[in-house]
Amino acid sequence: MAPTKADLEAARNATIEDVLGPGLDVLFCGINPSLYSAATGHHFARPGNRFWPALHLSGLVPRRLAPSEQHLLPSYGLGITNIAARATARADELALEELRVGGERLARLVAEVRPRVLAIAGVSAYRVAFARPAARIGPQEETIGGTALWVLPNPSGLNAHWRLEAIAAEMARLRPPQA
């Protein structure tokens, strides 16, 4: 059942747990939870968000998962976190300092979890969080503690510049090399 308007308002500033596991190939990183995600406790849960369809189309998972199945991600070598922990209606409600502090926290998390790739979904937030104003979508030259860094398009339905197929194609580039 979808959250009510009251549920969404109650979710303002709430946080949701990271989805982590050992030996992650890719740790996806959103900007911050939406009110819908915080109300449901599931990442990228808002209807219209293209993360889950793109994840399947990319070939990183064998079928389209529902946000409520996020607990299955570590079994595919995948995880999810956010730059900023608190839920807002829109990412532009975050202060620039929250993104910078979130970038520092993210670097500590990556050092602890040690995924093969950190994939940040949102180039604008990445630019602020890591002081890289000229960053573009795709692999980055820098690493975080030896972890490869990749910037993906934001899968939010509000990001109309990127179609689902193009987001999925960028995600597909994250697949581990075949032995």
Side-chain angles (χ1 to χ4, degrees):
M1 179 195 287
T4 65
K5 193 172 186 176
D7 294 334
L8 296 176
E9 194 50 43
R12 188 171 297 280
N13 299 321
T15 61
I16 57 178
E17 295 290 318
D18 291 340
V19 177
L20 302 171
L24 295 180
D25 284 317
V26 180
L27 177 58
F28 289 98
C29 181
I31 299 168
N32 73 308
S34 68
L35 298 180
Y36 200 102
S37 286
T40 63
H42 303 119
H43 294 272
F44 301 106
R46 185 178 177 84
N49 190 296
R50 296 163 297 172
F51 176 82
W52 298 101
L55 188 66
H56 174 241
L57 289 174
S58 74
L60 286 165
V61 294
R63 66 176 176 85
R64 183 170 170 179
L65 301 174
S68 62
E69 295 179 294
Q70 68 184 17
H71 64 280
L72 298 175
L73 288 176
S75 69
Y76 299 112
L78 308 173
I80 304 178
T81 189
N82 288 289
I83 294 174
R86 77 178 180 97
T88 60
R90 295 177 52 100
D92 63 9
E93 294 176 35
L94 297 169
L96 297 180
E97 185 61 19
E98 286 179 273
L99 294 173
R100 288 186 201 102
V101 168
E104 293 167 4
R105 183 203 67 85
L106 185 56
R108 289 190 301 273
L109 178 65
V110 166
E112 179 183 326
V113 176
R114 304 194 87 48
R116 182 180 59 81
V117 176
L118 173 64
I120 299 177
V123 69
S124 296
Y126 169 75
R127 288 172 178 156
V128 172
F130 292 93
R132 298 286 187 247
R136 302 261 186 251
I137 299 295
Q140 306 302 300
E141 289 184 19
E142 69 183 301
T143 63
I144 296 182
T147 293
L149 184 57
W150 204 287
V151 177
L152 296 171
N154 185 335
S156 167
L158 298 175
N159 183 8
H161 293 91
W162 284 82
R163 293 184 17 248
L164 171 61
E165 295 77 13
I167 295 169
E170 284 298 318
M171 284 184 172
R173 296 172 66 193
L174 300 171
R175 286 194 304 238
Q178 298 302 312

